[in-house]
Amino acid sequence: MLRSTFAVVERRAEHAVTFFYSHLFWHNPGVRELFPEDMAPQRDRLFAALTHVVTRLEDPGLAGYLGQLGRDHRRFLATPALYSAVGTSLLAAFAHTAGAAWTVEAEKAWTEAYGLVADLMKAGAQESARAGQPAWWDADVVRHERYGDDLTLLTLRPRQPYPYLPGQYASVSTLHVPRVWRTYSLANAPRPDGTVDLHVSRVAGGLMSTALTSTLRVGETLRLSSPGGALTARTPPGKPRTYIAAGTGWAPVRALLEEAAADEPELEGRLFLVARAKEYLYGRADAERLSALIPGLHVTCITAAPCRPRDQATERLVQALRSSLNWPAHDVYLAGPPAFLTEVAEELEELGADPARVFHDRLPAVGRFAQRPGSRAEWLIEPPPLHWHDPAARAPREPYA
């Protein structure tokens, strides 16, 4: 019942989510100030979470996902009253959008389902509060280093101990872009002084990445959410592994390698470091430093040729992967842009890598509809594909079938 109703609503997803927020803000005027001015990304996040829940109803990991989502929502100052208001508006939006599909049975099913979702999220938030974790961590900027126009390396010192594992990520907020949170991977293993590094790639038109790159200064304060993510070390000692990082995907891979250098310097592995051009290969010096600490780590740096399309870097990587051997024996840690992850994971499976041992955080592409039909008739005949995305709460990695 949940899936069949959601399938109808999803066809009019943009309309449904607009109705939802209009209903929520109209009936709860004070709630609007909790949200950013630009609501488009927020709409995507809502349907990302709904889609994740509806498509994984029998997944035993769903409760853990919702608990983490509840912990994340502490930074939005979510209260029991807000959960109740959201449920009321969500059901109103579904009833308005689903039309004849919204039966008494459907309303009952969704009411029960939302009650369970809200209970699991609130339980996750309460568990986090009982553990003494704050709603967010204030962190002082102690280094702000730019590489060209597009890349910034930040070092932050949280004012309270920040519990994270190498390879995880955190959502970041700044007063320069109020009430907006964006996700960035942590680029180091835990240090004695508690500092953490972030690698920020400026996105054209991106409010947060532009603020962190161009406006933020040393001495200012950022907020960090509770850490999350599935790209953490899980290979038993003595087993070979491969690390593949593209762009700022180098951040979590660097953290994993720092951990390995401290705990397992005798590991045998290979690292492929990919950048769209030579000037963007900012991680090369760190990669060489880590390979000196891990003698069995073989490093390959790959870029597109000068004046060639950036896609050539991925093509060169694929050629290098095909030249490498013994993929069934390797665990693979993969980080980079969403399209890159999809293409490389598929190539690795063809080469014999076990899909259940190709680890990466699941991060679909951000965007509205991929294409817009030219007429209403075209829309009805073939609705455009939906690309809902939740950058604030990446779902656990799933093996490729």
Side-chain angles (χ1 to χ4, degrees):
M1 179 64 70
L2 295 173
R3 288 187 176 127
S4 62
T5 311
F6 189 70
V8 176
V9 173
E10 194 175 28
R11 291 274 181 167
R12 304 178 66 200
E14 209 162 13
H15 176 72
V17 78
T18 301
F19 185 97
F20 164 77
Y21 281 110
S22 299
H23 188 280
L24 180 64
F25 297 153
W26 178 265
H27 292 279
N28 307 272
V31 170
R32 180 63 181 91
E33 65 184 21
L34 300 178
F35 292 82
E37 291 183 13
D38 181 10
M39 288 296 298
Q42 190 67 33
R43 296 184 183 113
D44 286 352
R45 292 189 187 99
L46 171 65
F47 255 82
L50 288 170
T51 301
H52 185 81
V53 170
V54 171
T55 57
R56 293 166 178 80
L57 294 173
E58 293 87 11
D59 186 347
L62 183 58
Y65 167 80
L66 292 171
Q68 178 63 43
L69 200 58
R71 288 189 287 275
D72 287 344
H73 274 65
R74 291 185 65 206
R75 69 180 187 265
F76 300 122
L77 305 179
T79 63
L82 180 58
Y83 277 99
S84 177
V86 165
T88 299
S89 295
L90 184 66
L91 294 178
F94 276 31
H96 178 78
T97 309
W102 192 252
T103 62
V104 173
E105 292 80 9
E107 181 173 4
K108 182 176 183 293
W110 274 101
T111 300
E112 293 176 354
Y114 180 78
L116 177 59
V117 167
D119 286 346
L120 290 170
M121 289 180 65
K122 287 185 286 187
Q126 291 164 1
E127 180 183 349
S128 174
R130 284 195 298 268
Q133 294 186 350
W136 59 74
W137 282 257
D138 288 324
D140 298 318
V141 180
V142 297
R143 182 180 66 136
H144 186 284
E145 192 172 314
R146 292 187 64 170
Y147 287 75
D149 295 330
D150 296 336
L151 181 67
T152 298
L153 273 59
L154 301 176
T155 299
L156 312 176
R157 180 175 288 114
R159 296 176 184 175
Q160 295 176 256
Y162 188 63
Y164 70 97
L165 297 173
Q168 288 191 303
Y169 58 79
S171 289
V172 177
S173 180
T174 171
L175 292 177
H176 293 295
V177 192
R179 301 184 300 281
V180 172
W181 293 80
R182 292 291 181 269
T183 302
Y184 297 96
S185 292
L186 304 168
N188 61 282
R191 296 170 176 151
D193 66 358
T195 58
V196 296
D197 291 345
L198 301 179
H199 295 177
V200 181
S201 180
R202 187 176 66 84
V203 178
L207 295 178
M208 179 63 74
S209 62
T210 299
L212 296 181
T213 299
S214 304
T215 309
L216 188 71
R217 296 291 181 266
V218 169
E220 295 187 37
T221 301
L222 298 179
R223 289 176 173 177
L224 301 178
S225 72
S226 60
L231 191 64
T232 53
R234 62 193 78 184
T235 304
K239 295 196 67 174
R241 70 209 69 167
T242 296
Y243 302 89
I244 304 172
T248 52
W250 169 238
V253 168
R254 190 185 89 160
L256 289 169
L257 287 170
E258 282 190 359
E259 180 184 42
D263 297 343
E264 194 185 352
E266 69 281 1
L267 79 82
E268 294 291 329
R270 46 204 183 201
L271 166 64
F272 296 92
L273 190 57
V274 186
R276 57 188 177 184
K278 186 176 181 180
E279 56 268 27
Y280 291 96
L281 200 63
Y282 74 97
R284 185 167 196 157
D286 274 336
E288 292 173 351
R289 173 182 62 83
L290 288 164
S291 68
L293 297 173
I294 309 173
L297 181 69
H298 302 281
V299 179
T300 303
C301 296
I302 298 172
T303 66
C307 302
R308 298 292 296 171
R310 67 179 64 181
D311 290 350
Q312 189 190 55
T314 306
E315 295 173 3
R316 287 183 163 185
L317 169 66
V318 169
Q319 293 173 2
L321 298 179
R322 290 173 179 172
S323 299
S324 302
L325 303 175
N326 202 25
W327 285 108
H330 278 241
D331 283 359
V332 182
Y333 295 85
L334 178 60
F340 174 87
L341 298 184
T342 300
E343 182 176 352
V344 174
E346 291 174 353
E347 181 65 31
L348 289 169
E349 184 174 359
E350 291 183 7
L351 292 173
D354 182 352
R357 292 166 57 198
V358 177
F359 306 120
H360 60 81
D361 277 319
R362 192 167 178 268
L363 182 60
V366 180
R368 310 303 295 162
F369 294 116
Q371 58 185 8
R372 292 201 176 269
S375 69
R376 191 159 189 82
E378 293 175 6
W379 186 295
L380 292 171
I381 293 171
E382 187 172 1
L386 299 177
H387 296 280
W388 301 110
H389 165 49
D390 182 4
R394 299 183 211 184
R397 189 202 68 82
E398 290 186 341
Y400 283 77

